[in-house]
């Protein structure tokens, strides 16, 4: 009986040791994978924007989207991405406790910088939830940074009045301003405000000079 008790205790201790070692090894592997994937994805997306100057990466918002797509691909997560209170979450249905929290510290294709922090939650073999963190800041050389232009979107003051904006008579209302990669046509990128009694037709180029393009909304 004594030997049986010792054998049972030894087996239990052995199992606990194995679980602990598996947990430590699992966390180490995940930490290595997270750091490698984060750095690689951030570098690749920034180079897409500033070196290859991919036309679809036309502003800071699309730089962030390109990074998230590449990063989740490297992490082999194909689940939905949720934005909440300015933070981005990617949930993994294969792990009930699995979740990635992505915090974009800086994303600027014109200055050539992308800085990201990530927190990953995962489930250990023993069922407990673990957390690891990683961060990276990638910068490209000055001569490789994306040249930029500003696009101003105006609406006629009569439309601004009907929409309830703080307008000035006889002066077109600046509805939106955005910074784009140089050469990008931003004519269709902004939705004009919907105004009762008016139907939006299109954005028409109003003026273009010194890196600034102006569009005016046409209504009928």
């Amino acid at each position: 009986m004594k030997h049986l008790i010792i054998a049972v205790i030894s087996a239990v201790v052995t199992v606990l040791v194995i679980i602990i070692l598996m947990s430590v090894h699992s966390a180490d592997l995940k930490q290595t994978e997270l750091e490698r994937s984060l750095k690689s994805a951030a570098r690749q997306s920034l180079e897409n924007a500033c070196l290859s100057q991919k036309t679809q990466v036309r502003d800071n918002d699309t730089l962030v989207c390109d990074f998230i797509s590449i990063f989740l691909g490297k992490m082999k997560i194909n689940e939905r991405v949720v934005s909440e209170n300015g933070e981005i979450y990617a949930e993994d249905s294969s792990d009930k406790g699995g979740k990635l929290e992505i915090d974009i510290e800086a994303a600027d294709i014109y200055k050539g910088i992308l800085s990201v922090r990530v927190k990953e939650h995962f489930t250990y073999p023993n069922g407990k939830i673990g957390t690891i963190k990683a961060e990276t800041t990638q910068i490209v050389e000055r001569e490789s940074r994306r040249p930029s232009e500003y696009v101003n979107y105006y609406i006629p003051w009569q439309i601004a009045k009907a929409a309830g904006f703080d307008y000035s008579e006889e002066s077109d209302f600046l509805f939106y301003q955005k910074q784009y990669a140089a050469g990008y046509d931003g004519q269709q990128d902004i939705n004009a405000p919907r105004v009762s009694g008016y139907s939006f037709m299109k954005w028409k180029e109003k003026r273009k000079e010194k890196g600034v393009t102006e569009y005016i909304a046409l209504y009928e």
Side-chain angles (χ1 to χ4, degrees), residues 14-202:
T14 300
V15 171
L16 290 176
V17 170
I18 291 174
I19 291 176
I20 291 173
L21 291 176
M22 288 177 62
S23 297
V24 172
H25 183 60
S26 174
D28 287 343
L29 287 177
K30 284 186 172 294
Q31 182 70 46
T32 300
E33 179 187 12
L34 181 64
E35 291 176 353
R36 181 175 61 247
S37 298
L38 179 61
K39 182 177 180 180
S40 175
R43 189 67 191 179
Q44 184 178 339
S45 58
L46 192 61
E47 289 180 349
N48 283 346
C50 299
L51 298 182
S52 67
Q53 298 195 357
K54 291 171 64 176
T55 55
Q56 62 266 38
V57 185
R58 61 186 182 273
D59 54 29
N60 296 334
D61 292 336
T62 48
L63 170 62
V64 171
C65 292
D66 190 57
F67 159 73
I68 291 174
S69 176
I70 294 173
F71 178 57
L72 295 184
K74 292 180 180 296
M75 293 293 291
K76 298 180 176 60
I77 295 179
N78 299 314
E79 306 301 324
R80 66 191 183 96
V81 178
V82 182
S83 179
E84 182 178 305
N85 298 325
E87 296 181 344
I88 303 164
Y89 300 86
E91 299 176 339
D92 188 352
S93 62
S94 63
D95 180 355
K96 291 184 179 180
K99 183 172 71 173
L100 282 173
E101 299 179 20
I102 306 171
D103 185 10
I104 308 298
E105 295 286 301
D108 196 321
I109 66 174
Y110 316 110
K111 295 180 180 179
I113 184 171
L114 179 58
S115 182
V116 186
R117 293 190 302 174
V118 174
K119 182 186 295 184
E120 181 180 6
H121 305 275
F122 63 94
T123 306
Y124 281 111
N126 62 3
K128 292 185 178 181
I129 302 298
T131 302
I132 54 177
K133 300 177 183 179
E135 59 183 87
T136 188
T137 297
Q138 299 295 318
I139 301 174
V140 299
E141 296 299 325
R142 179 177 298 276
E143 60 269 17
S144 302
R145 296 172 185 173
R146 196 78 169 261
S148 66
E149 297 175 350
Y150 285 92
V151 179
N152 295 337
Y153 299 86
Y154 291 88
I155 58 176
W157 70 267
Q158 297 91 337
I159 306 295
K161 178 182 179 180
F165 294 120
D166 187 13
Y167 71 99
S168 295
E169 289 192 9
E170 308 301 332
S171 179
D172 292 332
F173 177 76
L174 179 58
F175 173 66
Y176 198 84
Q177 182 183 72
K178 195 166 184 180
Q179 187 179 24
Y180 289 98
Y184 177 75
D185 181 7
Q187 185 172 358
Q188 305 298 327
D189 203 49
I190 298 296
N191 293 324
R194 295 181 179 180
V195 182
S196 177
Y198 296 88
S199 178
F200 173 73
M201 297 173 58
K202 66 176 182 178

